Amino acid sequence: MPETEHHLTTSAAADHRTIIEPFKIKMVEPLAILTRHEREPILREAGGNLFLVAAKHVTFDFLTDSGTTAMSAAQWGAMLVADESYAGSRSFERFESAVRELTGYRHVIPTHQGRAAERILFSHLVKPGSKVPSNCHFDTTRANIEQLGGEAVDLVIAEGRDPASTHPFKGNIDLDRLEAFCATHRGQIPCGMLTITNNTGGGQPVSLENLRAAAVIYHRHGIPMILDACRFAENSYFVKLREPGMAHHGVQEIARMTFAEADGCLMSAKKDGLVNIGGFIALRESRWVDHLRNQLILTEGFPTYGGMAARDLEAIAVGLEEVLDEDYLDYRLAVSRYMAQGLNRSGIPTVQPAGGHAVYIDAKAFLPHIPPEQYPGQALVCELYLSEGIRSCEIGSVMFGREVDGRFAPASMELVRLAFPRRVYTQSHFDYILEGMQSLAARKASLRGLRMTYRPPFLPHFTARFEPV
Ligand code: F0G
């Protein structure tokens, strides 16, 4: 993938434009290659909903970057020598020291994934009337706060809500609003958060400068700062590439500087832990720890495995080191940048700039002839499947549209997310897709909208059904 963002040459050769996949392949899985003719009845039977299509019928699965990583030989090797003892396992010691080494936080509580960490932490901190600010909360973070009667408040900068803005750190929190919020709600804020990178805002990074200023505000008001750190390595590499004065720092050093500003973190290891399952809470101080461990024992497991097998702990310990390899991160950020640039060249607009883990196509701008009540995002999701075998996810009026007084109220944006699994697809896959997208763009006027034939009472995107209009 050509390098365009920066002048650094972390790749081996300064005289090459192409950023190569920094791995060779030792184990392979066949790709399901179907024709459009074969996909048509599959999509019809699934009611136009890609969540209802079997993975064996998908060629390129871009539904999520979470838990879809290809693990390394070193990770699989570590899993074989794991110690599956119920208490005090050697694998836990390895996992704990990897997390301590990375974050500098002493107290490490394993959980089976990110939302379990959220539930355990918030069930201790959040009471009815509590408020938890962040740049943007991820859906499960918000839901865990709200089901305890708290309020999850998004304070991302205005540029973070503007798809066309090319601000380098669109994940930044609005510091003026944060200051005012903390002053107004004194005593009601059990903790403050920052999500790195900001998934809800398109995988956009937070600058170290912004993170430090947010920490100063939180701490001045006596509020601990907790990072939602599931894409900490991608965020750290964006800091290295884009933040003035940071290029000469190693990414591991930047990650340490990041964690050093906060009081703890929640982590879904299914992203930058480079594993298929797992997570943790890590905290600098001990004051919540006993309570959290007791909660952990109730629902996740003993504190030295917390809902995971010891082999999962081993895989995370190795993954947290591998993810900070700069050749890997160079390649990783090149994937979404390359895809966004390729799509844009074919006249397919995307949220700018490309995020770390995903590209968001602006379906409203791409398909202006399909009105929001005919779900232009979902229409594109269906066509991406039929023509390329891609599974993607609509983030628009299927997810957020509502009936208000008997009339359809559309979402503010009609986006389609292509989230890229880590170390899974190669450049020829992406080139193949981009070739197909060129012809898709050329015949976009022939795409038709959809009618929703079944709307479930909540979370419609998972089970809704559609028909072409
Ligand atoms: N926080 C962020 C920022 C996330 O993106 C996710 C998951 C979670 C927390 C929850 O972690 O899935 O391990 O329980 N994001 C996935 C996605 C599901 O597709 O964006 P989890």
Side-chain angles (χ1 to χ4, degrees):
M1 283 156 227
E3 174 197 48
T4 50
E5 175 147 19
H6 57 94
H7 58 278
L8 295 175
T9 45
T10 49
S11 336
D15 54 348
H16 287 67
R17 282 181 67 245
T18 301
I19 295 174
I20 56 174
E21 288 87 358
F23 47 80
K24 53 185 182 170
I25 296 166
K26 176 169 268 183
M27 200 187 286
V28 297
E29 197 180 324
L31 208 53
I33 301 178
L34 285 75
T35 63
R36 184 179 181 108
H37 184 68
E38 287 166 327
R39 289 183 194 118
E40 272 164 353
I42 292 168
L43 187 66
R44 225 177 4 255
E45 253 169 62
N49 187 334
L50 270 292
F51 282 97
L52 306 179
V53 171
K56 67 179 178 207
H57 295 141
V58 173
T59 310
F60 302 110
D61 205 340
F62 299 151
L63 197 56
T64 180
D65 67 318
S66 180
T68 51
T69 302
M71 290 207 294
S72 66
Q75 286 176 297
W76 285 110
M79 288 174 83
L80 277 179
V81 295
D83 167 12
E84 298 292 349
S85 304
Y86 190 94
S89 118
R90 184 185 67 239
S91 300
F92 179 72
E93 285 173 19
R94 192 150 177 233
F95 164 82
E96 186 185 47
S97 67
V99 176
R100 282 179 174 167
E101 170 78 7
L102 168 71
T103 62
Y105 306 145
R106 189 167 164 70
H107 307 282
V108 181
I109 299 171
T111 62
H112 79 275
Q113 63 181 80
R115 66 198 72 183
E118 292 163 2
R119 194 192 62 75
I120 286 169
L121 181 72
F122 296 137
S123 67
H124 183 47
L125 296 185
V126 174
K127 311 270 176 292
S130 296
K131 294 178 193 299
V132 181
S134 187
N135 43 357
C136 292
H137 292 272
F138 181 65
D139 318 7
T140 58
T141 325
R142 170 178 303 282
N144 271 295
I145 292 168
E146 290 179 349
Q147 68 109 16
L148 291 159
E151 194 189 341
V153 183
D154 292 346
L155 298 175
V156 71
I157 57 171
E159 290 89 338
R161 298 193 186 280
D162 171 7
S165 162
T166 53
H167 191 291
F169 290 103
K170 285 172 86 171
N172 282 357
I173 195 165
D174 185 325
L175 297 168
D176 292 336
R177 289 176 67 205
L178 180 63
E179 174 61 49
F181 188 85
C182 293
T184 310
H185 301 289
R186 197 170 275 277
Q188 288 173 282
I189 306 174
C191 69
M193 295 195 66
L194 270 184
T195 309
I196 57 171
T197 58
N198 192 29
N199 183 6
T200 313
Q204 300 293 338
V206 177
S207 73
L208 199 53
E209 186 190 24
N210 184 260
L211 193 134
R212 284 186 170 139
V216 168
I217 295 173
Y218 281 135
H219 292 156
R220 184 154 19 81
H221 291 275
I223 300 165
M225 179 162 106
I226 304 295
L227 298 173
D228 179 340
C230 62
R231 298 181 182 85
F232 74 93
E234 291 169 8
N235 200 82
S236 298
Y237 203 65
F238 273 124
V239 165
K240 182 179 172 86
L241 298 184
R242 294 185 183 173
E243 192 154 347
M246 296 307 294
H248 66 285
H249 290 287
V251 76
Q252 185 168 23
E253 201 187 342
I254 297 173
R256 284 214 190 94
M257 291 190 246
T258 303
F259 287 109
E261 294 302 319
D263 302 280
C265 70
L266 298 173
M267 176 83 189
S268 165
K270 298 171 75 171
K271 288 81 169 170
D272 278 350
L274 299 182
V275 293
N276 306 121
I277 195 71
F280 56 85
I281 304 169
L283 296 169
R284 189 181 299 290
E285 287 178 17
S286 63
R287 61 181 163 144
W288 303 332
V289 169
D290 285 347
H291 183 92
L292 302 187
R293 290 222 166 101
N294 288 332
Q295 277 293 312
L296 188 78
I297 290 170
L298 269 185
T299 58
E300 289 279 298
F302 193 72
T304 61
Y305 69 88
M308 283 182 277
R311 52 182 172 269
D312 302 324
L313 299 170
E314 293 277 356
I316 296 173
V318 178
L320 289 177
E321 274 172 35
E322 286 182 354
V323 78
L324 288 171
D325 179 278
E326 298 198 5
D327 290 329
Y328 161 75
L329 286 167
D330 212 27
Y331 140 82
R332 173 65 182 158
L333 298 193
V335 168
S336 43
R337 188 167 71 235
Y338 185 74
M339 284 302 278
Q341 288 170 350
L343 293 169
N344 296 163
R345 265 199 305 278
S346 296
I348 303 175
T350 57
V351 173
Q352 297 296 331
H357 67 291
V359 164
Y360 293 68
I361 299 175
D362 184 345
K364 196 194 289 193
F366 181 55
L367 302 172
H369 62 287
I370 303 181
E373 59 273 20
Q374 292 180 9
Y375 307 107
Q378 191 65 23
L380 182 59
V381 165
C382 288
E383 183 58 25
L384 288 174
Y385 177 67
L386 290 176
S387 68
E388 302 300 309
I390 291 173
R391 170 147 64 181
S392 57
C393 181
E394 192 257 17
I395 304 180
S397 290
V398 174
M399 220 180 244
F400 300 119
R402 285 171 303 136
E403 291 279 325
V404 179
D405 301 330
R407 292 186 56 191
F408 180 76
S412 59
M413 292 199 260
E414 306 291 345
L415 302 179
V416 171
R417 178 175 96 160
L418 309 182
F420 303 114
R422 293 169 179 77
R423 308 191 289 204
V424 172
Y425 298 105
T426 65
Q427 170 139 22
S428 76
H429 295 133
F430 293 117
D431 284 336
Y432 176 92
I433 292 166
L434 288 174
E435 285 165 17
M437 299 293 258
Q438 258 176 356
S439 67
L440 192 159
R443 61 187 150 75
K444 68 173 189 169
S446 69
L447 266 63
R448 291 283 158 267
L450 302 171
R451 174 176 32 242
M452 201 184 279
T453 55
Y454 167 63
R455 174 181 272 279
F458 47 84
L459 298 176
H461 51 289
F462 290 127
T463 53
R465 300 182 75 87
F466 306 87
E467 251 171 32
V469 291

